[in-house]
mmCIF file of all heavy atoms in Angstrom:
data_model
loop_
_atom_site.group_PDB
_atom_site.id
_atom_site.type_symbol
_atom_site.label_atom_id
_atom_site.label_comp_id
_atom_site.label_asym_id
_atom_site.label_seq_id
_atom_site.Cartn_x
_atom_site.Cartn_y
_atom_site.Cartn_z
ATOM 1 N N TYR A 96 48.473 -34.961 -42.701
ATOM 2 C CA TYR A 96 48.607 -36.392 -42.630
ATOM 3 C C TYR A 96 47.196 -37.054 -42.511
ATOM 4 O O TYR A 96 46.917 -38.080 -43.161
ATOM 5 C CB TYR A 96 49.451 -36.749 -41.417
ATOM 6 C CG TYR A 96 49.736 -38.245 -41.301
ATOM 7 C CD1 TYR A 96 50.796 -38.825 -42.003
ATOM 8 C CD2 TYR A 96 48.991 -39.063 -40.474
ATOM 9 C CE1 TYR A 96 51.078 -40.170 -41.917
ATOM 10 C CE2 TYR A 96 49.236 -40.402 -40.402
ATOM 11 C CZ TYR A 96 50.297 -40.962 -41.055
ATOM 12 O OH TYR A 96 50.528 -42.318 -40.951
ATOM 13 N N LYS A 97 46.301 -36.468 -41.689
ATOM 14 C CA LYS A 97 44.972 -37.022 -41.507
ATOM 15 C C LYS A 97 44.191 -36.885 -42.809
ATOM 16 O O LYS A 97 43.425 -37.844 -43.188
ATOM 17 C CB LYS A 97 44.265 -36.302 -40.392
ATOM 18 C CG LYS A 97 44.860 -36.484 -39.011
ATOM 19 C CD LYS A 97 44.857 -37.934 -38.587
ATOM 20 C CE LYS A 97 43.446 -38.439 -38.357
ATOM 21 N NZ LYS A 97 43.448 -39.883 -37.873
ATOM 22 N N GLU A 98 44.411 -35.814 -43.569
ATOM 23 C CA GLU A 98 43.771 -35.668 -44.830
ATOM 24 C C GLU A 98 44.260 -36.750 -45.810
ATOM 25 O O GLU A 98 43.466 -37.303 -46.598
ATOM 26 C CB GLU A 98 44.013 -34.280 -45.431
ATOM 27 C CG GLU A 98 43.337 -34.031 -46.741
ATOM 28 C CD GLU A 98 43.695 -32.681 -47.364
ATOM 29 O OE1 GLU A 98 44.302 -31.835 -46.673
ATOM 30 O OE2 GLU A 98 43.307 -32.440 -48.519
ATOM 31 N N SER A 99 45.569 -37.031 -45.749
ATOM 32 C CA SER A 99 46.135 -38.033 -46.644
ATOM 33 C C SER A 99 45.527 -39.385 -46.399
ATOM 34 O O SER A 99 45.426 -40.229 -47.288
ATOM 35 C CB SER A 99 47.669 -38.056 -46.466
ATOM 36 O OG SER A 99 48.213 -36.814 -46.848
ATOM 37 N N GLU A 100 45.190 -39.662 -45.140
ATOM 38 C CA GLU A 100 44.608 -40.941 -44.784
ATOM 39 C C GLU A 100 43.234 -41.145 -45.450
ATOM 40 O O GLU A 100 42.812 -42.289 -45.686
ATOM 41 C CB GLU A 100 44.503 -41.121 -43.289
ATOM 42 C CG GLU A 100 45.802 -41.356 -42.566
ATOM 43 C CD GLU A 100 45.624 -41.586 -41.064
ATOM 44 O OE1 GLU A 100 44.799 -40.873 -40.468
ATOM 45 O OE2 GLU A 100 46.342 -42.511 -40.537
ATOM 46 N N LYS A 101 42.532 -40.028 -45.718
ATOM 47 C CA LYS A 101 41.187 -40.103 -46.305
ATOM 48 C C LYS A 101 41.247 -40.331 -47.829
ATOM 49 O O LYS A 101 40.357 -40.865 -48.415
ATOM 50 C CB LYS A 101 40.395 -38.820 -45.981
ATOM 51 C CG LYS A 101 40.177 -38.600 -44.557
ATOM 52 C CD LYS A 101 39.463 -37.236 -44.312
ATOM 53 C CE LYS A 101 39.240 -36.950 -42.822
ATOM 54 N NZ LYS A 101 38.582 -35.646 -42.622
ATOM 55 N N ILE A 102 42.340 -39.842 -48.442
ATOM 56 C CA ILE A 102 42.370 -39.796 -49.910
ATOM 57 C C ILE A 102 42.318 -41.240 -50.521
ATOM 58 O O ILE A 102 41.567 -41.443 -51.462
ATOM 59 C CB ILE A 102 43.669 -39.113 -50.368
ATOM 60 C CG1 ILE A 102 43.511 -37.633 -50.037
ATOM 61 C CG2 ILE A 102 43.902 -39.285 -51.857
ATOM 62 C CD1 ILE A 102 44.739 -36.788 -50.406
ATOM 63 N N PRO A 103 43.063 -42.280 -50.013
ATOM 64 C CA PRO A 103 42.949 -43.582 -50.641
ATOM 65 C C PRO A 103 41.596 -44.137 -50.594
ATOM 66 O O PRO A 103 41.081 -44.799 -51.573
ATOM 67 C CB PRO A 103 43.927 -44.423 -49.808
ATOM 68 C CG PRO A 103 44.908 -43.467 -49.214
ATOM 69 C CD PRO A 103 44.137 -42.230 -48.991
ATOM 70 N N SER A 104 40.817 -43.970 -49.500
ATOM 71 C CA SER A 104 39.513 -44.490 -49.431
ATOM 72 C C SER A 104 38.536 -43.769 -50.414
ATOM 73 O O SER A 104 37.680 -44.423 -51.055
ATOM 74 C CB SER A 104 38.906 -44.358 -48.023
ATOM 75 O OG SER A 104 38.918 -42.978 -47.597
ATOM 76 N N GLU A 105 38.649 -42.483 -50.527
ATOM 77 C CA GLU A 105 37.876 -41.688 -51.475
ATOM 78 C C GLU A 105 38.236 -42.059 -52.899
ATOM 79 O O GLU A 105 37.351 -42.228 -53.743
ATOM 80 C CB GLU A 105 38.108 -40.173 -51.297
ATOM 81 C CG GLU A 105 37.605 -39.681 -49.920
ATOM 82 C CD GLU A 105 37.970 -38.219 -49.692
ATOM 83 O OE1 GLU A 105 38.774 -37.689 -50.534
ATOM 84 O OE2 GLU A 105 37.483 -37.665 -48.710
ATOM 85 N N PHE A 106 39.495 -42.274 -53.193
ATOM 86 C CA PHE A 106 39.945 -42.672 -54.532
ATOM 87 C C PHE A 106 39.389 -44.039 -54.881
ATOM 88 O O PHE A 106 38.877 -44.283 -55.997
ATOM 89 C CB PHE A 106 41.461 -42.687 -54.574
ATOM 90 C CG PHE A 106 42.049 -42.657 -55.960
ATOM 91 C CD1 PHE A 106 42.335 -41.536 -56.608
ATOM 92 C CD2 PHE A 106 42.268 -43.882 -56.605
ATOM 93 C CE1 PHE A 106 42.859 -41.481 -57.878
ATOM 94 C CE2 PHE A 106 42.802 -43.885 -57.920
ATOM 95 C CZ PHE A 106 43.084 -42.712 -58.552
ATOM 96 N N ALA A 107 39.465 -44.982 -53.926
ATOM 97 C CA ALA A 107 38.975 -46.348 -54.181
ATOM 98 C C ALA A 107 37.485 -46.367 -54.392
ATOM 99 O O ALA A 107 36.993 -47.063 -55.249
ATOM 100 C CB ALA A 107 39.390 -47.247 -53.006
ATOM 101 N N ALA A 108 36.761 -45.615 -53.530
ATOM 102 C CA ALA A 108 35.266 -45.577 -53.652
ATOM 103 C C ALA A 108 34.845 -44.953 -54.958
ATOM 104 O O ALA A 108 33.932 -45.478 -55.590
ATOM 105 C CB ALA A 108 34.723 -44.760 -52.478
ATOM 106 N N THR A 109 35.500 -43.931 -55.409
ATOM 107 C CA THR A 109 35.158 -43.279 -56.685
ATOM 108 C C THR A 109 35.399 -44.221 -57.800
ATOM 109 O O THR A 109 34.607 -44.390 -58.777
ATOM 110 C CB THR A 109 35.986 -41.968 -56.896
ATOM 111 O OG1 THR A 109 35.714 -41.099 -55.768
ATOM 112 C CG2 THR A 109 35.555 -41.309 -58.161
ATOM 113 N N THR A 110 36.533 -44.872 -57.809
ATOM 114 C CA THR A 110 36.934 -45.865 -58.875
ATOM 115 C C THR A 110 35.884 -47.000 -58.979
ATOM 116 O O THR A 110 35.443 -47.362 -60.058
ATOM 117 C CB THR A 110 38.294 -46.395 -58.643
ATOM 118 O OG1 THR A 110 39.246 -45.309 -58.554
ATOM 119 C CG2 THR A 110 38.712 -47.262 -59.865
ATOM 120 N N GLU A 111 35.547 -47.583 -57.818
ATOM 121 C CA GLU A 111 34.605 -48.704 -57.805
ATOM 122 C C GLU A 111 33.204 -48.226 -58.294
ATOM 123 O O GLU A 111 32.574 -48.935 -59.021
ATOM 124 C CB GLU A 111 34.493 -49.284 -56.402
ATOM 125 C CG GLU A 111 33.630 -50.467 -56.317
ATOM 126 C CD GLU A 111 33.722 -51.185 -55.013
ATOM 127 O OE1 GLU A 111 34.841 -51.211 -54.396
ATOM 128 O OE2 GLU A 111 32.713 -51.743 -54.496
ATOM 129 N N ASP A 112 32.796 -47.019 -57.875
ATOM 130 C CA ASP A 112 31.486 -46.495 -58.297
ATOM 131 C C ASP A 112 31.416 -46.277 -59.818
ATOM 132 O O ASP A 112 30.463 -46.552 -60.467
ATOM 133 C CB ASP A 112 31.224 -45.226 -57.566
ATOM 134 C CG ASP A 112 29.786 -44.726 -57.829
ATOM 135 O OD1 ASP A 112 28.855 -45.498 -57.666
ATOM 136 O OD2 ASP A 112 29.641 -43.554 -58.229
ATOM 137 N N MET A 113 32.551 -45.790 -60.394
ATOM 138 C CA MET A 113 32.648 -45.608 -61.814
ATOM 139 C C MET A 113 32.522 -46.926 -62.533
ATOM 140 O O MET A 113 31.788 -47.021 -63.550
ATOM 141 C CB MET A 113 33.974 -44.918 -62.250
ATOM 142 C CG MET A 113 34.123 -43.488 -61.746
ATOM 143 S SD MET A 113 35.752 -42.778 -62.173
ATOM 144 C CE MET A 113 35.536 -42.558 -63.942
ATOM 145 N N TYR A 114 33.138 -47.964 -62.063
ATOM 146 C CA TYR A 114 33.051 -49.248 -62.715
ATOM 147 C C TYR A 114 31.658 -49.848 -62.637
ATOM 148 O O TYR A 114 31.135 -50.356 -63.603
ATOM 149 C CB TYR A 114 34.060 -50.204 -62.074
ATOM 150 C CG TYR A 114 33.868 -51.655 -62.602
ATOM 151 C CD1 TYR A 114 34.254 -51.949 -63.915
ATOM 152 C CD2 TYR A 114 33.342 -52.634 -61.833
ATOM 153 C CE1 TYR A 114 34.059 -53.256 -64.398
ATOM 154 C CE2 TYR A 114 33.122 -53.913 -62.294
ATOM 155 C CZ TYR A 114 33.493 -54.182 -63.603
ATOM 156 O OH TYR A 114 33.288 -55.483 -64.113
ATOM 157 N N GLU A 115 30.991 -49.735 -61.472
ATOM 158 C CA GLU A 115 29.684 -50.288 -61.305
ATOM 159 C C GLU A 115 28.689 -49.512 -62.198
ATOM 160 O O GLU A 115 27.789 -50.186 -62.808
ATOM 161 C CB GLU A 115 29.232 -50.112 -59.846
ATOM 162 C CG GLU A 115 29.963 -51.032 -58.885
ATOM 163 C CD GLU A 115 29.793 -52.515 -59.203
ATOM 164 O OE1 GLU A 115 28.751 -52.878 -59.791
ATOM 165 O OE2 GLU A 115 30.744 -53.312 -58.907
#
Side-chain angles (χ1 to χ4, degrees):
Y96 185 84
K97 296 299 292 182
E98 181 184 352
S99 298
E100 287 185 317
K101 298 177 183 177
I102 291 177
S104 59
E105 294 173 353
F106 196 92
T109 301
T110 305
E111 184 170 326
D112 187 51
M113 292 179 71
Y114 173 70
E115 292 298 332

